[in-house]
Amino acid sequence: MDYFSKKKAEILEELDVNPKKGLSESEVISRQEKYGFNQLRETKKKTLFMMFMDQFKDFLVIILIIAAAVSIIVGIIEGEGLVDGLIILAIVILNAILGVNQEQKANNALAALKKMSSPSAKVIRDGKTIEVSSEQLTVGDIVLLETGDYVAADIRLLESTNLKTDESSLTGESTPVSKDAEIDLGEKTVLAERENSVYMSTLVTYGKGKGIVTNIGMETEIGKIATMLDAVEEGKTPLQKTIDEFAKVLGIIIIIISVFVFALGFVQNHFEFELDLFLTSVALAVAAIPEGLTAVITVVLALGMQRMVKRNAIIKNLSTVETLGQATVICSDKTGTLTQNQMTVRRVFDLDQEYEVTGSGYETKGKLLVSGKETKPTHNLEKILQISLLCNDSKIESENKILGDPTEGALLVLSAKGGYEVNNPEEKYPQLNEYTFDSTRKMMSSINKIDDNYYVLTKGATDQLIKKCNRVSINGEVREINDLDIKMILNQNEVYSKQAYRVLGFAYRQTDTPKAMDLENDLIFVGMVAMIDPPREEAKDAIAKCHKAGIRVMMITGDYLTTAKAIAGELNILQEGGIALSGEETKNMTDKEFEEAILKCDVFARSTPSDKIKIVEVLQKNGEVVAMTGDGVNDSPALKQAEIGVAMGITGTEVSKEASNMILTDDNFTSIVSAVEEGRTIYSNIRKFTVFLVSCNIGEILLILMSMVFSFLFVGPNGESLLPLGAIHLLWINLMTDSFPAFALGMEKAEPNIMDQKPRDTKEKLLNKETLIKVIIQGSGLMFAGLTAFYLGLKVLAGATVEQAITMAFLTVVFGELFRAFSARSETKFLFQYNPLSNKFLNYSVFISVGLVLALIYIPFTAKIFSLEYLTIPELLISMALGFVPMLFAEMTKVVNKSL
């Protein structure tokens, strides 16, 4: 119900409350039974079991489970294949455990960021003022508010004295909003302009007030946003979609090849069914599956998550790491994300000259410069600094925190930069009287004793303050103010306002009656200051990197259009040909007009939560991968809708952190750029080891297939057709030989030009034309080397047994894979163009794999299990030499790649 548009008396009557006595205890209980407690409904958390089951939804994992099941069934029937099936199943379960472990780590890190206490509220009940927890508030409660209080429900004000609230987390408004209980509003007044109401999650920064609770829990403005969050469904990430597509294609290929092999053998056996032939087809299907791929992808993404933690980003799920690398648009909130959320004085005009104020935020080490140089302070500047210091109720707690109104905090910092001691100034300059700020006068005055004289020190809106001045100080001379002076002052005020600065004027006078209450007249105007919530210094470079990387940055804020354009211009977000829009301008647009506008829009101001979701949906509809940054409750639905929701860890609300995929622990926009680079590197590495693993599987398939096609070349002593490798050999190669180098390839450092490339096409597949050619060529090289070794062992080398021929083929394939891994380190550079031994992880993995395979062959117990036999030195050297053939084929693909 829109209580902001109703009269106070009407609301009190409707809710049946006496504002002086408040609710009775019995009324509180009955209303809590009717309306419930003042709580937001929490989303149901995933249990460990649910997280575990989620790991089995990928198509590739499903194929592995089917392969394992078939192998186990065949193993039970025939006594062979049981070990193969159990090993595959163990890999799948281990992969699931690893994925759950990483999600749990992210959830624990998120929990550590949550605040441990909930805010309380001061209420009038049974005529007494008491403090209750926010959960106990109910509709009709009379709440008292003062500076520093968190607003615990939606409240219609009944009384207000100079009340201001910080609504940045809810509306995106960067400066505190003045509130007035006496204002009447229309039903269509937007949230950011409802001056007679305060809302849950906002903060009282100044003044005091009294109001009646009109909405609690899910009925509050925050509750409505929480409801929108529930309605947003999370889709699969681009990586999940890519791997699913890849797995489906692979599954179809596996079925076709297995059926073809069975059909070929069936024809060769004169159409007689043999169980061995069926088992061979099953073995080939198992060989075709890159069993290690899911585990390698999971581990590489997990390591990426750990690296991101060191770079101040908590990633909540594995695939988000890679998805960041595909981002084409970053929709960023302004307040606290691109800006410092710290009001800062940038310009001081003392009616003679303009000063540039260096230093940003609440740092007190800046300077006041004229034309880039320090200069002696004028009389007017000294007065402006004195007024900034003494007509001020804020305090500096640290370089990052101000107690009190941010505008007054900025003035306190200005006086510190001008050389004044800002701690306990009243000891040196005692305050005798004060006129607090109110929205009618739009000014504030403090009467202080300075050097045995009493001074009225006043600051306020320039256009209102000038009306109280009859004199002006220019060029060190105090004289009567004239129309030209007023015109000059108001013109300068307008210049600053058009640049999105918040402008305050300054004036003073001496008095002999400091306790009087009519001293805000006959003032001497001395100048004005211009302040703004400045951009983060590092954000400009980060945005430039985004543009270089082909990523569009779009500002979406609840702040005013003028302010948004000024900040966007300073950060180079507003590009040539780009437009800036406000929510008011798009209200009456058709869906088509809105879509056309958003595709050209760089800045969108005065946005609502529904605007943000609509913008993200339009971008996604047009093929963009969207990263949405934000820290406020108002950002949360869009954070959830975007492929990558990025919340702020320090200033971010708990709702925004819950809705996001990624949390920046330092609230630094540059961490997003680091994450994008990390994501691109990870995808590049995933592509490298996927080509490496799949080409090995293709090579194994071709090896078995060609040995059957040319079976007359591979005949045993008893005239039987022989296969170069069995299922157990193929499984060893897939798991023990390929997986270690694949892990190492996943640890490759970023290519030097990775952030100079445009984001990859969202439709790009892991197995596209380019990678398919690589896979076939490299697989053919592996097949050629393996068949050659098998043939030499069977027909050429004197004294070699069938087991030794199989061992030669097996060892050749193993060496071929290990040597080829060094070529796989780069997709474009040849081996002689980089140091092939610079990846220490790859060196270690090759060394371990060689050691394991030699142990397998030369330890009698393991050799017997795998039907292998030790090789002579010449046989070993031949196998090793043939192992270089696949590496040469891999280098050949780089020539083909450059010609495509």
Side-chain angles (χ1 to χ4, degrees):
M1 197 171 289
D2 297 333
Y3 286 104
F4 64 86
S5 61
K6 295 188 175 185
K7 304 281 187 185
K8 290 186 289 185
E10 190 181 343
I11 297 169
L12 290 168
E13 184 180 347
E14 183 178 330
L15 297 179
D16 191 21
V17 185
N18 182 327
K20 293 182 180 179
K21 292 185 178 181
L23 298 175
S24 66
E25 195 61 38
S26 60
E27 284 176 317
V28 169
I29 293 169
S30 66
R31 292 185 187 216
Q32 285 177 342
E33 288 174 356
K34 180 180 178 181
Y35 299 107
F37 289 99
N38 184 31
Q39 296 172 318
L40 294 178
R41 183 174 63 245
E42 289 194 10
T43 53
K44 191 176 179 181
K45 302 289 182 188
K46 276 188 183 179
T47 62
L48 279 174
F49 179 73
M50 288 167 67
M51 280 192 262
F52 184 74
M53 293 308 294
D54 281 347
Q55 309 301 316
F56 298 97
K57 291 181 179 177
D58 288 343
F59 198 81
L60 194 58
V61 175
I62 293 168
I63 290 177
L64 284 174
I65 292 170
I66 293 169
V70 171
S71 295
I72 290 169
I73 292 167
V74 171
I76 291 169
I77 296 170
E78 290 296 312
E80 291 182 12
L82 186 62
V83 175
D84 303 350
L86 291 174
I87 289 172
I88 296 171
L89 205 57
I91 291 165
V92 170
I93 292 170
L94 188 65
N95 178 66
I97 291 169
L98 188 61
V100 169
N101 182 49
Q102 289 303 322
E103 276 195 44
Q104 193 63 19
K105 277 185 181 178
N107 288 343
N108 291 341
L110 179 61
L113 286 170
K114 290 190 173 182
K115 294 171 187 173
M116 301 303 292
S117 59
S118 60
S120 57
K122 291 185 284 292
V123 297
I124 298 174
R125 287 182 180 172
D126 289 319
K128 297 177 183 176
T129 301
I130 60 171
E131 196 166 294
V132 298
S133 70
S134 59
E135 292 178 2
Q136 296 297 318
L137 281 182
T138 190
V139 174
D141 258 325
I142 302 298
V143 178
L144 302 177
L145 300 167
E146 59 185 35
T147 303
D149 286 347
Y150 274 98
V151 181
D154 285 2
I155 296 169
R156 170 63 162 93
L157 293 170
L158 301 173
E159 300 172 11
S160 61
T161 306
N162 307 323
L163 185 65
K164 291 184 183 180
T165 60
D166 178 357
E167 296 185 347
S168 59
S169 70
L170 187 62
T171 65
E173 176 66 62
S174 59
T175 55
V177 180
S178 295
K179 297 292 180 178
D180 189 345
E182 304 305 321
I183 288 179
D184 292 324
L185 299 171
E187 291 182 5
K188 294 184 178 180
T189 307
V190 296
L191 179 62
E193 294 170 7
R194 295 175 191 169
E195 296 175 58
N196 61 12
S197 301
V198 292
Y199 295 95
M200 181 189 268
S201 88
T202 60
L203 176 70
V204 178
T205 61
Y206 195 82
K208 58 185 180 179
K210 178 180 178 180
I212 182 170
V213 174
T214 55
N215 289 299
I216 60 170
M218 297 302 288
E219 298 301 314
T220 62
E221 291 297 327
I222 279 193
K224 292 174 186 175
I225 292 172
T227 303
M228 289 168 67
L229 272 172
D230 288 342
V232 176
E233 292 186 11
E234 291 184 75
K236 287 190 173 183
T237 65
L239 179 63
Q240 289 170 326
K241 292 174 185 173
T242 300
I243 291 174
D244 273 0
E245 286 174 9
F246 164 71
K248 286 169 186 173
V249 171
L250 193 63
I252 292 166
I253 291 171
I254 288 167
I255 293 167
I256 291 170
I257 290 174
S258 297
V259 170
F260 177 76
V261 167
F262 181 80
L264 181 64
F266 191 61
V267 171
Q268 287 179 342
N269 287 335
H270 306 289
F271 301 98
E272 289 184 13
F273 177 80
E274 285 188 7
L275 187 61
D276 284 346
L277 183 60
F278 175 73
L279 293 176
T280 300
S281 300
V282 171
L284 201 60
V286 172
I289 300 168
E291 286 88 354
L293 183 58
T294 50
V296 175
I297 288 174
T298 302
V299 171
V300 166
L301 291 174
L303 291 171
M305 282 178 76
Q306 297 307 311
R307 287 195 296 273
M308 286 310 303
V309 169
K310 293 176 183 176
R311 299 173 87 168
N312 303 308
I314 296 171
I315 309 294
K316 290 170 65 179
N317 50 63
L318 290 173
S319 52
T320 299
V321 181
E322 181 279 333
T323 310
L324 268 160
Q326 203 178 0
T328 57
V329 180
I330 298 176
C331 295
S332 179
D333 185 36
K334 178 184 72 67
T335 306
T337 307
L338 293 169
T339 66
Q340 299 174 25
N341 205 14
Q342 297 178 347
M343 290 299 288
T344 304
V345 175
R346 283 279 188 85
R347 298 281 185 270
V348 178
F349 180 57
D350 70 356
L351 307 185
D352 293 321
Q353 55 193 3
E354 184 183 62
Y355 297 82
E356 178 189 353
V357 185
T358 65
S360 61
Y362 297 146
E363 296 176 3
T364 58
K365 298 175 183 176
K367 298 176 181 177
L368 283 79
L369 307 175
V370 177
S371 302
K373 297 178 181 178
E374 286 189 72
T375 185
K376 186 178 179 181
T378 62
H379 168 267
N380 282 19
L381 179 60
E382 284 290 355
K383 281 299 172 192
I384 291 170
L385 295 173
Q386 277 185 358
I387 298 166
S388 296
L389 174 70
L390 301 175
C391 187
N392 200 314
D393 291 329
S394 66
K395 293 189 182 301
I396 299 177
E397 187 173 87
S398 68
E399 284 194 353
N400 294 314
K401 191 171 181 183
I402 287 285
L403 293 178
D405 186 271
T407 299
E408 294 202 327
L411 295 176
L412 205 57
V413 170
L414 173 67
S415 61
K417 290 175 181 177
Y420 280 85
E421 174 56 54
V422 295
N423 293 319
N424 304 315
E426 62 277 0
E427 292 181 5
K428 187 175 180 181
Y429 310 107
Q431 186 184 67
L432 289 87
N433 195 0
E434 181 182 24
Y435 302 171
T436 58
F437 176 88
D438 67 47
S439 55
T440 305
R441 291 170 26 254
K442 293 187 178 179
M443 63 184 72
M444 171 185 177
S445 296
S446 176
I447 293 84
N448 294 72
K449 186 177 182 181
I450 304 173
D451 298 332
D452 296 324
N453 293 311
Y454 299 115
Y455 286 90
V456 180
L457 307 172
T458 305
K459 70 173 189 281
T462 304
D463 58 340
Q464 297 300 313
L465 181 60
I466 201 78
K467 297 174 185 176
K468 301 290 183 178
C469 298
N470 63 357
R471 288 166 292 170
V472 65
S473 175
I474 296 179
N475 295 323
E477 177 191 352
V478 176
R479 57 172 174 77
E480 283 190 19
I481 197 166
N482 57 44
D483 290 343
L484 289 176
D485 296 327
I486 293 171
K487 186 177 179 180
M488 179 267 291
I489 291 166
L490 294 179
N491 281 346
Q492 187 63 48
N493 183 72
E494 188 177 355
V495 168
Y496 286 145
S497 296
K498 284 182 177 178
Q499 294 172 2
Y501 285 117
R502 185 174 187 187
V503 189
L504 286 177
F506 292 78
Y508 79 101
R509 60 171 279 201
Q510 274 189 253
T511 182
D512 296 324
T513 55
K515 297 289 187 180
M517 297 307 295
D518 58 348
L519 298 175
E520 281 184 342
N521 51 60
D522 299 332
L523 299 171
I524 304 167
F525 195 89
V526 290
M528 62 188 79
V529 302
M531 63 183 76
I532 199 168
D533 177 15
R536 288 180 176 271
E537 292 176 9
E538 65 277 9
K540 190 170 184 176
D541 290 338
I543 288 161
K545 283 183 182 178
C546 287
H547 290 155
K548 192 177 181 184
I551 300 167
R552 177 181 164 202
V553 180
M554 183 177 178
M555 179 193 288
I556 306 176
T557 176
D559 213 337
Y560 289 99
L561 183 60
T562 307
T563 307
K565 283 174 70 175
I567 297 295
E570 196 166 338
L571 290 173
N572 292 331
I573 289 175
L574 197 53
Q575 296 283 290
E576 188 176 338
I579 60 173
L581 294 170
S582 69
E584 289 93 339
E585 291 176 86
T586 60
K587 269 183 184 177
N588 299 319
M589 284 184 178
T590 63
D591 288 346
K592 187 178 180 182
E593 288 171 340
F594 184 82
E595 184 174 333
E596 288 173 356
I598 291 304
L599 294 178
K600 296 176 185 175
C601 180
D602 291 326
V603 178
F604 193 100
R606 304 306 277 173
S607 65
T608 64
S610 57
D611 285 333
K612 293 182 179 183
I613 289 184
K614 200 173 173 185
I615 290 166
V616 174
E617 286 175 341
V618 164
L619 293 170
Q620 289 172 332
K621 179 185 171 185
N622 284 273
E624 306 286 4
V625 176
V626 183
M628 170 73 188
T629 75
D631 57 359
V633 176
N634 60 324
D635 300 321
S636 302
L639 288 176
K640 191 173 180 182
Q641 176 69 39
E643 281 86 354
I644 312 115
V646 185
M648 304 295 127
I650 299 171
T651 59
T653 58
E654 300 310 325
V655 181
S656 67
K657 290 172 194 171
E658 289 286 355
S660 66
N661 308 100
M662 170 179 162
I663 300 162
L664 303 182
T665 56
D666 62 349
D667 287 14
N668 197 328
F669 189 84
T670 57
S671 296
I672 300 169
V673 182
S674 300
V676 169
E677 185 176 357
E678 188 69 50
R680 289 188 175 193
T681 302
I682 284 172
Y683 183 80
S684 173
N685 290 343
I686 286 174
R687 191 169 55 217
K688 288 174 188 175
F689 65 64
T690 300
V691 169
F692 174 75
L693 290 173
V694 175
S695 58
C696 174
N697 292 100
I698 295 297
E700 290 166 353
I701 291 168
L702 292 174
L703 185 64
I704 302 296
L705 190 59
M706 290 300 104
S707 68
M708 291 179 70
V709 172
F710 300 101
S711 56
F712 60 88
L713 293 175
F714 309 105
V715 180
N718 300 318
E720 75 278 17
S721 296
L722 298 173
L723 294 176
L725 297 175
I728 198 166
H729 304 129
L730 297 173
L731 203 57
W732 175 277
I733 293 166
N734 287 357
L735 297 178
M736 303 306 293
T737 300
D738 285 351
S739 295
F740 292 125
F743 281 127
L745 290 173
M747 301 290 287
E748 278 291 321
K749 292 180 180 177
E751 300 275 356
N753 65 339
I754 200 150
M755 287 301 285
D756 295 339
Q757 302 166 11
K758 289 185 177 181
R760 73 177 190 278
D761 192 333
T762 53
K763 296 177 183 177
E764 182 182 311
K765 297 176 181 177
L766 273 174
L767 273 183
N768 54 22
K769 179 184 175 184
E770 181 187 321
T771 52
L772 202 58
I773 290 171
K774 287 180 182 179
V775 162
I776 292 170
I777 292 174
Q778 293 185 39
S780 299
L782 200 66
M783 175 267 294
F784 176 76
L787 282 181
T788 302
F790 189 48
Y791 181 78
L792 290 175
L794 275 179
K795 302 294 182 181
V796 178
L797 297 176
T801 64
V802 170
E803 285 76 16
Q804 283 177 314
I806 289 172
T807 305
M808 283 184 69
F810 175 63
L811 198 58
T812 297
V813 172
V814 169
F815 278 125
E817 282 301 280
L818 297 178
F819 295 155
R820 193 166 63 88
F822 291 102
S823 173
R825 288 189 57 204
S826 175
E827 295 179 284
T828 53
K829 289 183 179 179
F830 296 103
L831 271 168
F832 61 84
Q833 292 178 309
Y834 61 91
N835 179 3
L837 301 176
S838 60
N839 184 337
K840 62 180 181 180
F841 300 107
L842 183 56
N843 299 339
Y844 295 150
S845 67
V846 168
F847 182 77
I848 291 168
S849 294
V850 169
L852 287 172
V853 76
L854 291 178
L856 192 70
I857 293 169
Y858 289 101
I859 295 173
F861 173 73
T862 53
K864 186 177 179 181
I865 293 173
F866 280 78
S867 302
L868 300 172
E869 197 170 302
Y870 74 90
L871 300 180
T872 63
I873 296 297
E875 290 168 346
L876 186 63
L877 291 174
I878 289 170
S879 298
M880 189 178 291
L882 284 170
F884 282 100
V885 172
M887 186 179 76
L888 295 174
F889 273 71
E891 289 293 283
M892 195 190 306
T893 62
K894 295 174 186 178
V895 177
V896 175
N897 185 56
K898 289 180 185 291
S899 64
L900 286 175

